[in-house]
Amino acid sequence: SLTSYTIVSPNSITNFAQLQFHSKKSCRRITNDKKKIETASCGYFINQNRFTSRNVSYLNSRPYSRKFIVSNALPPYIDSDSHAYDDETIKTDEEKDRTYDGFGPLIPIAEKLDDVTGNWALSYADLSPETPKTPAGILFLVTNIFYAISGIGLALHGDVVFGALTEVAGIVSFWYHYTQLELGKDRKEVRLTLLIDYLTAGSALIYGTVYLAQLGISATSPEMLASGAISIACLSLCWVWEYGYPYLFWHSLWHITSAYTGFMVGQAHIDMPQ
């Protein structure tokens, strides 16, 4: 059910905003009398922004920085030991972390991608309230094992290079999605792993495409074509519903079907008459 709260500044600034959210976790906040700490449930906003110790946004889409809230609303009523507040996670659209700290030699590639796509290519889905430790988050991460199965299978059948590329793509995919679930939205660390995911997955896709060109249409089975089409459709639907459970569902299917398609392409190339 949805519950409404009004947070009021203790020094009579103004009411910040009406909060509505799904019950998820226990957290503390100031009640309207400005003197009492109330333990309440907080979790997933109906506007798909989280209310946790890491992320607070208001329904009027005008989030305040953590520094503003701490200095003007929460002390002295907040229990500082139960929440670690910082200034980095609550930002307006203009303040989102689009820096490239830690990208190293990948900075030119990241800048070019952001420039060409209008910051779309290195954006990613907000999967809150799921984390790497929730059932849905765990199941999502586990689907990366299909890349491992595919890569090992190809290597055992004699294609070590394509098998290794598939293995690396799966490892990096797991890394990217783990940070996506763990760190949440608008984090440069996640954007970096996403960029590396593009590079490793792209290498495997290019290698597989070369195999398809060598095979020719006559050696391409209907099952291979159907699996490839389904995988592309699943990936496309991830961008249509780029949030929460829909993304988890469709992107999980992308992992499974793309790994299977890659294995079939590699196996067909192994079996191709020399």
Side-chain angles (χ1 to χ4, degrees):
S1 60
L2 292 176
T3 308
S4 298
Y5 288 87
T6 301
I7 295 182
V8 181
S9 165
N11 53 4
S12 302
I13 292 180
T14 53
N15 288 10
F16 281 172
Q18 192 77 6
L19 302 179
Q20 293 183 320
F21 51 84
H22 292 289
S23 295
K24 183 66 179 179
K25 292 183 179 180
S26 177
C27 66
R28 291 184 171 185
R29 64 171 54 82
I30 302 167
T31 55
N32 289 339
D33 61 11
K34 298 185 285 186
K35 297 178 182 179
K36 175 185 175 184
I37 282 287
E38 176 181 329
T39 299
S41 294
C42 61
Y44 199 57
F45 274 104
I46 59 174
N47 67 345
Q48 298 169 9
N49 287 318
R50 281 178 296 175
F51 186 91
T52 68
S53 60
R54 295 188 308 178
N55 196 336
V56 180
S57 293
Y58 298 94
L59 295 182
N60 61 5
S61 299
R62 178 61 178 91
Y64 294 89
S65 70
R66 181 74 66 189
K67 183 177 180 180
F68 181 86
I69 295 173
V70 169
S71 61
N72 294 290
L74 297 179
Y77 310 114
I78 195 69
D79 180 1
S80 59
D81 293 333
S82 64
H83 289 281
Y85 290 105
D86 58 76
D87 298 340
E88 297 181 358
T89 56
I90 311 306
K91 296 178 173 69
T92 62
D93 288 341
E94 294 77 14
E95 295 172 317
K96 288 178 181 177
D97 189 353
R98 306 298 302 186
T99 63
Y100 305 100
D101 295 342
F103 280 56
L106 298 179
I107 289 177
I109 300 174
E111 290 178 333
K112 188 65 175 179
L113 274 175
D114 276 342
D115 182 55
V116 170
T117 65
N119 293 333
W120 175 81
L122 293 181
S123 63
Y124 56 91
D126 178 14
L127 301 181
S128 60
E130 302 306 321
T131 74
K133 299 178 179 63
T134 60
I138 292 170
L139 287 174
F140 176 54
L141 292 174
V142 164
T143 59
N144 288 287
I145 199 172
F146 287 92
Y147 293 118
I149 295 171
S150 176
I152 292 172
L154 289 172
L156 291 176
H157 290 178
D159 194 338
V160 176
V161 176
F162 192 32
L165 288 173
T166 305
E167 285 280 342
V168 172
I171 292 169
V172 174
S173 175
F174 179 91
W175 178 30
Y176 159 54
H177 291 303
Y178 186 94
T179 60
Q180 180 185 23
L181 285 162
E182 178 68 20
L183 300 179
K185 62 187 294 188
D186 304 323
R187 294 291 294 269
K188 62 178 180 293
E189 299 92 339
V190 185
R191 295 175 67 239
L192 174 58
T193 60
L194 173 57
L195 176 58
I196 298 172
D197 182 57
Y198 283 158
L199 296 175
T200 55
S203 298
L205 285 169
I206 291 170
Y207 210 85
T209 302
V210 172
Y211 276 6
L212 282 173
Q214 292 173 350
L215 286 168
I217 191 65
S218 60
T220 305
S221 68
E223 183 182 6
M224 189 188 304
L225 292 174
S227 180
I230 292 170
S231 66
I232 293 172
C234 291
L235 181 61
S236 301
L237 290 171
C238 296
W239 292 324
V240 174
W241 292 290
E242 200 172 15
Y243 61 88
Y245 291 125
Y247 177 92
L248 292 173
F249 175 77
W250 291 113
H251 207 83
S252 293
L253 290 182
W254 154 253
H255 288 163
I256 297 167
T257 55
S258 62
Y260 183 56
T261 303
F263 177 78
M264 285 194 293
V265 170
Q267 188 62 53
H269 188 266
I270 292 170
D271 297 336
M272 183 177 67
Q274 298 300 319

